[in-house]
Amino acid sequence: MSLHDRALTAVLTQLAMAADGAFIGVGVAYVAFSCFRKYAATSSALRKISQSASVQPSDLRSILSDSDDSRPSSSRRDDGDASSLNFDCGKLVFVSGSVEVKSALDKANWKSLRGTDLVVSHESGEKGVILQRIQTCIYNEWRGLFRWTADLGSMLMPRRITKENASSSMNMVPFILVEEGKWPPSDHVVVNMEGSTHPLPLTTVYQHLQPVKASSYTVFQALVGLEYPVGLLYEEKILPLGKDITAVGICNLKNGIPEIKSCEDLPYFLSILTKDQMIADLSFKSKVLLWSGLILGTVAIGVLGYSISRNWSKWKEWKARRAQQQQNASRIENLDETEEEESGDVPDGELCVVCLMRRRRSAFVPCGHLVCCHRCAFSVEREVSPKCPVCRQPIRNSVRIYDS
């Protein structure tokens, strides 16, 4: 952990422990709320994928045509029926097929021209329909030289490697999904990648790590425990032809040709997972999110309840102290008013045994000794362990004695 991270951790710890854990309770409650929100989204995606129709590209035309004929576009909605899971812009379907370039459909001799109009990896020469180039900076942090006494874990794992994407670019050409092993591709579905932010089932075809030369500043960063760059990783990933993938999304007919695009409510679009694997994955995630939300929600309620109870007790104590202070202030005012009356000529036998200036006016309870003036008796009462100045017996309070 760097110096900056340690300082930030100390500040966050002090802030979290403020108000007897109220900030911790609010933070845990927010995380629990996020878990429940993600659980709702995951459950909705699970329900939609479970109800989606699993079809081949050759079945899409008939399904979309029947859907368009049986229901107008203004009334298409998700009504919970697997056979009629329709949306305003199409129908949610689950399509399996092989990746092929769209330009192969426009060629007369597709066997000889298959593989043209593709993106090509600069390093490996591999061809595909999607090419992604990523440059990643790799940082290293040495934690076991000067700070091993403060961090026992650094002796077991003194180095930490982190990655940070420096740049990324993507090239793609229009592609389609065709039925596996069926050529020429008479029945197909066009994949519309516009607006999709879902992860892609890409294959890594090239990797190269270029080390970064160390400098004097790098040595200083390593000694004080700061992160320092150690290399630049260059990667190329492609989506090759003929790869069997599945697509789950909104499908409709565009100029009589089936076209599928991503659905923002679903965590998948193009994937190597089957429908059953997606359902199992989403079911597991929904259970984890549900139990996480319940556990964190219970912890948040407990922490907030403890914080509220502690702050309520502190408020009552503050209120009692404030009332006591006001009572003491009123008694001091009364003492000031009677001080002039008691400070005149007083016989020696009636002088206060503490100040020897004012007349004896207050008797202690329960011993009953009348040996102090009102002001000194009040001072004795405010001691930690108040005792009578004569008999040294513990006292509870004092009572002012008035002459008849």
Side-chain angles (χ1 to χ4, degrees):
M1 184 180 292
S2 63
L3 297 176
H4 176 72
D5 294 338
R6 287 191 172 188
L8 181 61
T9 302
V11 173
L12 292 178
T13 302
Q14 294 179 357
L15 181 63
M17 295 306 297
D20 293 317
F23 287 97
I24 294 179
V26 172
V28 175
Y30 176 77
V31 176
F33 172 75
S34 300
C35 289
F36 282 120
R37 185 176 59 182
K38 292 180 180 179
Y39 165 75
T42 304
S43 300
S44 177
L46 175 62
R47 178 178 58 84
K48 291 178 180 179
I49 291 180
S50 300
Q51 295 175 356
S52 63
S54 182
V55 298
Q56 294 292 329
S58 58
D59 303 327
L60 286 174
R61 294 179 183 273
S62 59
I63 292 178
L64 296 176
S65 299
D66 294 341
S67 176
D68 293 338
D69 295 339
S70 60
R71 182 176 298 186
S73 59
S74 59
S75 62
R76 295 175 189 168
R77 57 182 178 87
D78 182 7
D79 57 8
D81 186 4
S83 61
S84 59
L85 193 61
N86 295 287
F87 295 83
D88 292 340
C89 55
K91 184 175 183 179
L92 183 65
V93 295
F94 194 94
V95 185
S96 301
S98 299
V99 176
E100 293 296 340
V101 64
K102 185 179 179 181
S103 59
L105 300 174
D106 303 329
K107 309 298 181 180
N109 189 359
W110 57 267
K111 290 185 178 180
S112 61
L113 295 176
R114 181 184 178 186
T116 61
D117 299 333
L118 300 174
V119 290
V120 183
S121 171
H122 293 173
E123 303 296 339
S124 64
E126 296 285 342
K127 297 180 180 181
V129 294
I130 298 178
L131 173 63
Q132 185 179 20
R133 301 184 183 90
I134 305 174
Q135 285 187 347
T136 306
C137 292
I138 300 178
Y139 293 88
N140 192 16
E141 181 184 0
W142 181 267
R143 300 187 297 169
L145 186 58
F146 288 161
R147 293 177 296 154
W148 64 272
T149 56
D151 189 2
L152 182 62
S154 64
M155 294 188 296
L156 303 177
M157 187 177 295
R159 293 189 300 171
R160 184 183 65 178
I161 297 178
T162 58
K163 295 182 179 181
E164 180 180 351
N165 289 342
S167 63
S168 177
S169 63
M170 182 179 295
N171 297 329
M172 66 178 64
V173 296
F175 64 98
I176 59 175
L177 294 181
V178 299
E179 292 190 23
E180 302 175 6
K182 186 175 181 180
W183 271 91
S186 56
D187 296 319
H188 63 278
V189 55
V190 178
V191 179
N192 186 354
M193 296 294 297
E194 182 179 357
S196 175
T197 57
H198 296 77
L200 299 173
L202 303 180
T203 302
T204 302
V205 295
Y206 178 78
Q207 280 186 339
H208 176 67
L209 178 61
Q210 181 180 356
V212 176
K213 294 182 179 180
S215 61
S216 57
Y217 180 68
T218 303
V219 176
F220 171 76
Q221 288 177 311
L223 291 177
V224 299
L226 300 177
E227 291 183 350
Y228 58 94
V230 296
L232 182 64
L233 179 63
Y234 178 80
E235 295 178 290
E236 287 188 350
K237 300 179 180 181
I238 66 169
L239 182 60
L241 292 177
K243 185 172 184 177
D244 296 333
I245 63 174
T246 55
V248 54
I250 308 301
C251 190
N252 58 1
L253 291 176
K254 186 175 181 179
N255 298 326
I257 300 176
E259 181 183 77
I260 189 170
K261 62 180 180 180
S262 63
C263 180
E264 296 181 357
D265 298 336
L266 302 181
Y268 306 104
F269 178 37
L270 302 179
S271 175
I272 59 174
L273 300 178
T274 63
K275 183 177 180 180
D276 294 336
Q277 290 174 337
M278 289 184 184
I279 293 176
D281 183 48
L282 290 177
S283 177
F284 175 76
K285 288 182 180 179
S286 63
K287 292 179 181 178
V288 171
L289 290 172
L290 176 61
W291 283 105
S292 299
L294 292 175
I295 294 174
L296 292 175
T298 304
V299 172
I301 293 174
V303 173
L304 289 176
Y306 170 78
S307 176
I308 293 173
S309 175
R310 288 282 297 173
N311 284 279
W312 176 257
S313 300
K314 288 183 178 180
W315 181 79
K316 290 194 297 184
E317 292 176 0
W318 173 84
K319 190 176 180 180
R321 287 196 304 268
R322 185 66 179 272
Q324 185 66 29
Q325 290 176 357
Q326 292 177 354
Q327 182 180 1
N328 294 339
S330 63
R331 293 184 64 178
I332 291 175
E333 291 178 358
N334 295 332
L335 290 176
D336 294 338
E337 294 176 357
T338 59
E339 185 175 357
E340 296 180 357
E341 301 176 357
E342 300 176 353
S343 60
D345 294 335
V346 181
D348 293 340
E350 297 182 7
L351 285 175
C352 173
V353 298
V354 177
C355 66
L356 300 176
M357 294 176 58
R358 291 177 290 272
R359 189 184 300 272
R360 301 176 183 180
R361 288 297 187 185
S362 295
F364 292 110
V365 178
C367 66
H369 286 118
L370 180 62
V371 293
C372 292
C373 65
H374 194 44
R375 179 180 289 274
C376 293
F378 178 67
S379 299
V380 172
E381 289 181 28
R382 297 181 63 183
E383 294 179 356
V384 178
S385 298
K387 295 181 180 179
C388 176
V390 177
C391 64
R392 308 305 297 171
Q393 180 180 349
I395 62 174
R396 294 194 297 269
N397 54 12
S398 63
V399 178
R400 184 173 179 180
I401 306 300
Y402 293 92
D403 294 334
S404 58

